[in-house]
Structure formats: structure tokens, C-alpha cells
Amino acid sequence: MHPQLPSFDAAHSSAIDRRINSLLKHLDPSSSSQSAAAAMDSLSASPTSSFQSNSVFSHVDQAPEDPILGVTVAYNKDPSPVKLNLGVGAYRTEEGKPLILNVVRKAEQILVNDSTRVKEYIPIVGIADFNKLSAKLIFGSDSPAIQESRVTTVQCLSGTGSLRVGAEFLARHYAQRTIYVPVPTWGNHLKIFALGGLAVKTYRYYDPSTRGLHFQGLLEDLGSAEMGSVVLLHACAHNPTGVDPTLEQWEQIRQLIRSKGLLPFFDSAYQGFASGSLDADAQPVRIFVADGGECLVAQSYAKNMGLYGERVGALSIVCKKADVASRVESQLKLVIRPMYSSPPIHGASIVATILKDSEMYHEWTIELKAMADRIISMRQELHEALLAKGTPGDWSHIIKQIGMFTFTGLNKDQVAFMTKEFHIYMTSDGRISMAGLSSRTVPHLADAIDAAVKLAG
Ligand code: LMR
């Protein structure tokens, strides 16, 4: 059923094949009596000794760490007092500490004080209020898709879970099971879609020579994509590049996608983080919904509400008709139930509590804007520090790119040098999480970049 089997399946089964073949060889009557005897011995050995010495998992290879989350593993092992983790996209305060928003604490207090709350299973699709409010947040409260009940929204396990449920739904119910993802894209996308049952292809997105959008390449590649293919679009604050199309370019992309009957699948992991405005960051999604066409949207509350480990997100599928949306929802339940049965209560309850109360919502927008503004000021400070040092090269992309990340243009060797000599941790593609920087640590990073560029070439 899945068009592209994940490669580890092949590796896995070949390891099994090797073990079976070796056992068969031992048991082959034409092989030497000595080896046959050895095989018989091993088979008749005491069950206890073989139970103790041979693990049924001894063939399991050591897997590499995740390219993003593994950076934190390496950082945690480093005893240096000056170490700096700019790997994972997680917001830090000026003091370098994780932040729990005040409005989130307030919502949690309300939930704790509510004695009517129980811990029963919630429906497979999650909390109804959370789903409605999430749809309004991304599509706008006046969205025709919501008013006409053409959108189904299901609570999922943050952005990753929403993408995975969407992928599995498409693999089961959408004829053209190919998804085009931008180059580069968040590393997990490739695995999510392949394991979800889609064939993954790519389209040009980033131009290393300008450190900006490869708009022509994007139009050409999507223009030659097979009719009906799915296209992954980062709704805003593209990860890892921090490069987004302008609204005019989005409009051209929309026209191309609609004219080729391609199906847009938005990953919206940073609503509010790019510009500081929830509405402005949702514009690309809204122009696609306004044309009456269909699309999928995966939302995450990890960054914009700081609910990383609570795993709160939603998958919305916008359809052309309400009855279709309702049948789609019934099938999403069949995807979710055997995967994790139903989603957890706590994080989604926090989100719903904040989104339905106008005062708390307002407070959230202020805290969100403060996070976005701090990131923007880190861009300026880093840029100025590199200019002040006279670091060779053009660093203007640091202030042009937006969202959580700067795609520095530093290569693998330069990154390795910065980690070894300066204890600065970042992904090997040169991405740094601006949200992990502070005024205090900018000079250290600027020194490291300067040395990497001058010494490590
Ligand atoms: C990132 O790109 O750093 C974040 O989206 C965290 C993750 O899960 O990779």
C-alpha cells in the first residue's frame, strides 16, 4: 500500500535474512559433519545458557542521534561554562532560560482550580473547543471555510503528529501520493511523509548564492510537478532558512498550485513568531483558503505558546463541501485511533482556555510579540557585532531572514570548528536558533563566527 518503503525496513529484513541463512547453512545436510554437529550442539544447548547469552535484539544497530535533537544531547555532555545551545528551535529568555508564558501559568491555574474537570478519555479527534478555536486562529474568524463548515480540525500531537496524521490520511485517500518538499526543509519532514506512506520529491526553494528565495526555481519545479501532487509549504518563518516568499510571490505560488491542481499542505509551526502578528503570519494560508480550494494545515503551539513538551497541535483539512469535510473527519478518526487512540487533555485545555477568553488572548499576543521582538533584536545585535569585527563576507541575511532561525551559510567544517573551539552547538547545516541567543552571548557567537570564517575557511 505504501509506495515507498522506508529504507530501514530493507536493512532490517536483510539482517534477518543473514541470520536465517546462517542457521540454514548449519542445518544443511550437505555441509560438513563438524558444522552440523556444532549446529546441533547449539540447538541442544541448555535453554537457560542460550537465554542468558543471546539477545534476540543482538542484530540491532546503534542508530545515529537525531540531527536536531542530538545537538542538545551533545551540548548536555559538554562541561564548558561558556557552552551555548543554538541547535533546537526553542525560545530562551535573555538569561538563557526556558520561558513559560504568564498567560499559560494563568490558564493552568484556572484548570487546576476547576473541580469539575475529570481525566476521562477525550474524543478521538480531541477537545471540540480547542479544534474550533485553532481553526479560527489560523483561518481567521470570518473564514468562509469555517462559516460553511467545510473544514474539519482534529487535535494532534503538536506539528509532527499533525503532519503524520495528514500524511497517513493522504496515503489512504488521495490518489496522487507524492509530496514535494522544499530544499532544504526541516529534516523530520522527509521521515514523516515517507513513513506516512507518501513518495517524497523536492522543489528548489533556497538560493545559497543570495541566501534568499530561489523563486524562479520554485516556480519551475512546481510547474513541472505531476498534476495533483501534494506540495508542502511552510506557512511562515521557513525552517531552516528563515526565508519566506513575499505576499506577491505567495499569490503567484497560489495561482500556479491551483492551475496545476496541486494540493497544498501547510506546516504552520511559527504563527506569530515571524512578524509578531498572528494574523500577518497566517496570510499565506488565508489566501489559499479564500479562493475556495482545498488544503491541509498542520498547526503547532510548541513555539508560539511555548508548549513544546505538551505536544499540542491540530490538523485541519479544508474541503469544498461540508459533507465531504464530515466524511474526511470520520476517516481521520480511523487513522488516529490505532496510532495513539486519542490525544492528551492538558496542553489543549491550556490553549482553549487562552483562546476563548479575550483578555487572556490579548495577553498572549503581547507575550508572543515580545518573544518575536527579542529574536529580531538578536538579529540586529549579531549583525552589528560581525560588522564591528570586520568579519569577511556579507552578513545582511541575518537581518533579512525571519523567524526563529538564521541560515548562516557556515559549512559543516566551520560548524564543527565552532563547536570544538567555542562550545557553540548548532545543526551541521549552519542553522542557528536566534531564540537561543542573548545580548550576553552575542559577542561569543560573533567571535566564533569570525574565527570560523577566517581560520576554517
Ligand atoms: C527545530 O527545528 O529545531 C524544532 O522544530 C524542533 C524539532 O523538533 O526539530
Side-chain angles (χ1 to χ4, degrees):
M1 178 158 127
H2 290 176
Q4 225 187 22
L5 280 175
S7 58
F8 67 72
D9 272 0
H12 183 209
S13 49
S14 69
I16 295 172
D17 288 345
R18 276 199 303 278
R19 293 175 67 226
I20 292 174
N21 286 337
S22 114
L23 185 58
L24 286 177
K25 216 167 118 200
H26 272 312
L27 295 177
D28 181 353
S30 65
S31 66
S32 80
S33 57
Q34 213 184 351
S35 62
M40 292 314 287
D41 278 356
S42 89
L43 285 177
S44 62
S46 117
T48 318
S49 67
S50 99
F51 175 76
Q52 281 168 348
S53 58
N54 298 327
S55 166
V56 293
F57 302 118
S58 53
H59 61 286
V60 174
D61 294 329
Q62 179 67 40
E65 290 287 355
D66 180 82
I68 296 175
L69 303 182
V71 174
T72 303
V73 175
Y75 167 84
N76 287 338
K77 286 186 192 150
D78 186 341
S80 166
V82 298
K83 67 180 178 176
L84 184 57
N85 188 2
L86 303 178
V88 68
Y91 186 82
R92 297 283 176 266
T93 62
E94 187 53 34
E95 292 71 44
K97 299 272 183 299
L99 177 71
I100 300 180
L101 301 185
N102 283 329
V103 72
V104 166
R105 286 195 194 280
K106 254 189 215 170
E108 283 189 312
Q109 210 50 59
I110 292 172
L111 295 172
V112 167
N113 293 340
D114 181 353
S115 57
T116 64
R117 286 172 54 77
V118 291
K119 302 284 187 193
E120 290 293 293
Y121 296 124
I122 57 173
I124 297 173
V125 295
I127 299 172
D129 262 0
F130 166 85
N131 291 336
K132 274 195 213 115
L133 293 159
S134 295
K136 277 191 185 168
L137 185 70
I138 189 71
F139 300 122
S141 44
D142 55 351
S143 167
I146 297 177
Q147 281 158 7
E148 293 156 19
S149 305
R150 317 190 260 111
V151 51
T152 171
T153 302
V154 297
Q155 180 190 332
C156 293
L157 305 186
S158 204
T160 304
S162 307
L163 292 163
R164 181 67 188 259
V165 169
E168 297 217 3
F169 170 80
L170 290 171
R172 290 184 197 188
H173 299 286
Y174 188 62
Q176 179 49 283
R177 290 181 298 189
T178 301
I179 186 161
Y180 282 79
V181 303
V183 179
T185 194
W186 181 48
N188 216 18
H189 279 146
L190 308 171
K191 299 167 204 167
I192 292 170
F193 294 125
L195 290 171
L198 302 177
V200 181
K201 294 192 175 171
T202 58
Y203 64 91
R204 279 172 288 171
Y205 186 85
Y206 177 75
D207 183 350
S209 69
T210 62
R211 293 185 182 149
L213 186 67
H214 198 326
F215 191 50
Q216 198 49 39
L218 178 152
L219 293 179
E220 281 169 20
D221 291 352
L222 292 187
S224 57
E226 293 97 332
M227 278 300 246
S229 299
V230 184
V231 181
L232 177 78
L233 300 162
H234 294 226
C236 68
H238 182 273
N239 179 5
T241 66
V243 172
D244 283 356
T246 62
L247 271 185
E248 291 70 37
Q249 288 170 329
W250 271 118
E251 175 52 24
Q252 271 179 269
I253 296 169
R254 187 195 66 76
Q255 284 174 17
L256 174 66
I257 283 185
R258 292 312 191 201
S259 73
K260 298 248 340 170
L262 303 172
L263 180 63
F265 192 161
F266 284 96
D267 183 355
S268 177
Y270 297 94
Q271 189 182 354
F273 247 82
S275 66
S277 155
L278 288 156
D279 286 327
D281 288 355
Q283 263 323 99
V285 173
R286 291 180 189 173
I287 62 170
F288 276 79
V289 176
D291 70 10
E294 298 179 309
C295 67
L296 289 84
V297 184
Q299 273 171 280
S300 161
Y301 290 96
K303 328 281 174 173
N304 58 11
M305 240 182 236
L307 293 174
Y308 306 91
E310 297 290 356
R311 313 308 293 146
V312 201
L315 172 72
S316 288
I317 303 189
V318 178
C319 305
K320 288 195 176 161
K321 294 201 166 122
D323 63 318
V324 179
S326 141
R327 294 200 300 276
V328 164
E329 180 161 318
S330 72
Q331 291 294 338
L332 287 173
K333 285 157 86 170
L334 298 191
V335 174
I336 293 167
R337 171 68 168 145
M339 205 191 277
Y340 53 85
S341 199
S342 59
I345 308 174
H346 188 64
S349 303
I350 296 172
V351 173
T353 305
I354 294 170
L355 295 187
K356 71 179 169 211
D357 180 288
S358 58
E359 253 176 55
M360 290 177 91
Y361 180 90
H362 180 64
E363 198 177 328
W364 174 43
T365 60
I366 292 171
E367 290 192 79
L368 176 57
K369 173 101 173 50
M371 289 193 283
D373 285 350
R374 200 185 79 72
I375 295 173
I376 292 167
S377 70
M378 286 306 104
R379 292 185 179 283
Q380 277 148 2
E381 287 184 26
L382 179 61
H383 183 238
E384 277 160 27
L386 291 171
L387 287 188
K389 291 186 86 64
T391 306
D394 174 7
W395 298 96
S396 59
H397 56 286
I398 295 179
I399 43 179
K400 285 188 205 137
Q401 296 172 356
I402 54 169
M404 217 163 198
F405 304 109
T406 290
F407 209 45
T408 58
L410 295 166
N411 62 35
K412 220 160 74 202
D413 294 339
Q414 291 168 325
V415 170
F417 169 84
M418 287 167 59
T419 305
K420 184 160 174 278
E421 302 297 330
F422 289 82
H423 306 273
I424 291 177
Y425 289 79
M426 55 200 276
T427 52
S428 60
D429 58 4
R431 183 192 86 164
I432 55 179
S433 170
M434 298 308 288
L437 260 186
S438 67
S439 300
R440 191 175 47 83
T441 53
V442 161
H444 183 51
L445 176 60
D447 287 348
I449 294 178
D450 189 66
V453 170
K454 287 180 182 156
L455 296 176

